[in-house]
Amino acid sequence: MGASKNMRQWIASLAALTAALGGLYWWAQASVRRFERQQISTTQQQLLAIALSEAESLEKTITYLRQELAMRGDEPTIIEAARNGLTAHDVLARDGHSTEVSLFEHIADRTSSIYRLSANGIVQSRLPHKESTIGRDYSDKPGVKHILTYHRRKSQRHTHGGGCRFDAHVSGIFLTRSGKRAISICTGIHDGDELVGVLRMIIRLDDLTKGVRNIRAGRKGYAWVVDSRGQMLIHPQLGRTGLNVMEYRKKALPGFDWSETGAFIDQACPAG
């Protein structure tokens, strides 16, 4: 009788201990999940802050380059070179100085090349110099077509401050002849009311976005930047640049629930 009672008490104790352990395990798992969510949220916020800082830096860089290029559109030596079809090195050899060469040397760490084209879009000069490029028709190139069309349609010009025209145009992303993703900045060269040429600067995205692409979170995490439409502007894998992040992920893993990621992107990058 006593042995049976002891057995029942032992079983009851074991059941209570099992229940307690189960409750402890559930609480531990819930705590781990809460901690993981907090860590993920903290990491996301940290990455977002870093990415926003990098995006602001990129915007400042692009604005600076636009202004630097646009100011050269009124330079007398560049106007004269455009009218006479001289290369930047022709001007350097003749005068001992070239505004275009100085500009390229000043921003060489942020741009891969600078072109000067005629008013018809024909290449007159390229820095670094490349003889095979001289004389090519670039009138349909990204950015160039916009400038030529703009000046054909409108005779008026936008001015800023002392008359310097800040009308430099930033193109969309395109592939260079070497297969690199890039953007261009173009501005008109003016002699009075006349468009006599175009200055074009090429900026490779892999050079411009190294800061963001080098961000790492843990062993496998990384940062990428999307715009308000969900288009990937910067990604460690350059082949994904320009793709829609949610469309790409849903296509790659159609069975996965991407609602949380989509909500985070909507929160971080509200439309408009």
Side-chain angles (χ1 to χ4, degrees), residues 239-256:
R240 298 187 187 181
T241 305
L243 301 179
N244 183 279
V245 60
M246 292 309 300
E247 290 178 1
Y248 176 84
R249 288 174 178 261
K250 288 178 180 178
K251 185 177 180 180
L253 294 171
F256 189 82

Side-chain angles (χ1 to χ4, degrees), residues 27-216:
W27 176 83
Q29 289 296 311
S31 297
V32 169
R33 286 194 294 270
R34 283 196 301 271
F35 176 76
E36 288 177 344
R37 284 196 295 269
Q38 291 172 353
Q39 288 297 103
I40 291 172
S41 177
T42 300
T43 301
Q44 287 177 335
Q45 292 301 321
Q46 290 173 342
L47 288 175
L48 178 60
I50 294 171
L52 286 174
S53 176
E54 289 289 340
E56 290 175 0
S57 176
L58 292 176
E59 183 179 8
K60 290 179 180 178
T61 297
I62 294 298
T63 299
Y64 171 76
L65 293 175
R66 287 183 67 186
Q67 294 176 351
E68 283 292 306
L69 193 67
M71 285 190 295
R72 303 313 191 274
D74 287 324
E75 288 278 351
T77 55
I78 293 181
I79 294 172
E80 187 260 342
R83 281 204 171 278
N84 296 314
L86 302 176
T87 69
H89 286 290
D90 289 337
V91 176
L92 180 63
R94 184 191 67 187
D95 301 338
H97 172 78
S98 166
T99 301
E100 291 166 271
V101 171
S102 296
L103 173 63
F104 181 70
E105 291 175 347
H106 177 59
I107 59 175
D109 60 328
R110 284 161 284 185
T111 183
S112 62
S113 55
I114 295 178
Y115 293 79
R116 179 171 23 85
L117 318 174
S118 71
N120 295 321
I122 306 302
V123 178
Q124 296 177 327
S125 178
R126 181 190 187 275
L127 296 171
H129 183 73
K130 192 174 182 179
E131 190 64 33
S132 60
T133 304
I134 308 302
R136 286 184 177 174
D137 185 352
Y138 273 25
S139 58
D140 283 331
K141 293 290 185 180
V144 178
K145 186 175 182 179
H146 174 90
I147 294 293
L148 297 181
T149 301
Y150 173 83
H151 284 279
R152 288 190 190 110
R153 290 177 178 174
K154 295 185 177 182
S155 59
Q156 69 270 29
R157 302 182 303 279
H158 300 292
T159 61
H160 178 86
C164 178
R165 306 177 187 96
F166 285 91
D167 59 348
H169 171 74
V170 180
S171 76
I173 299 171
F174 62 91
L175 289 177
T176 64
R177 292 173 63 88
S178 60
K180 301 290 186 180
R181 292 181 181 270
I183 60 173
S184 70
I185 302 177
C186 297
T187 191
I189 303 171
H190 305 91
D191 188 0
D193 293 332
E194 182 183 2
L195 177 72
V196 297
V198 177
L199 284 175
R200 184 183 192 227
M201 179 187 299
I202 305 297
I203 305 169
R204 289 196 296 257
L205 292 187
D206 55 349
D207 292 332
L208 190 63
T209 62
K210 285 179 181 177
V212 173
R213 290 189 289 109
N214 288 335
I215 296 173
R216 289 292 180 267

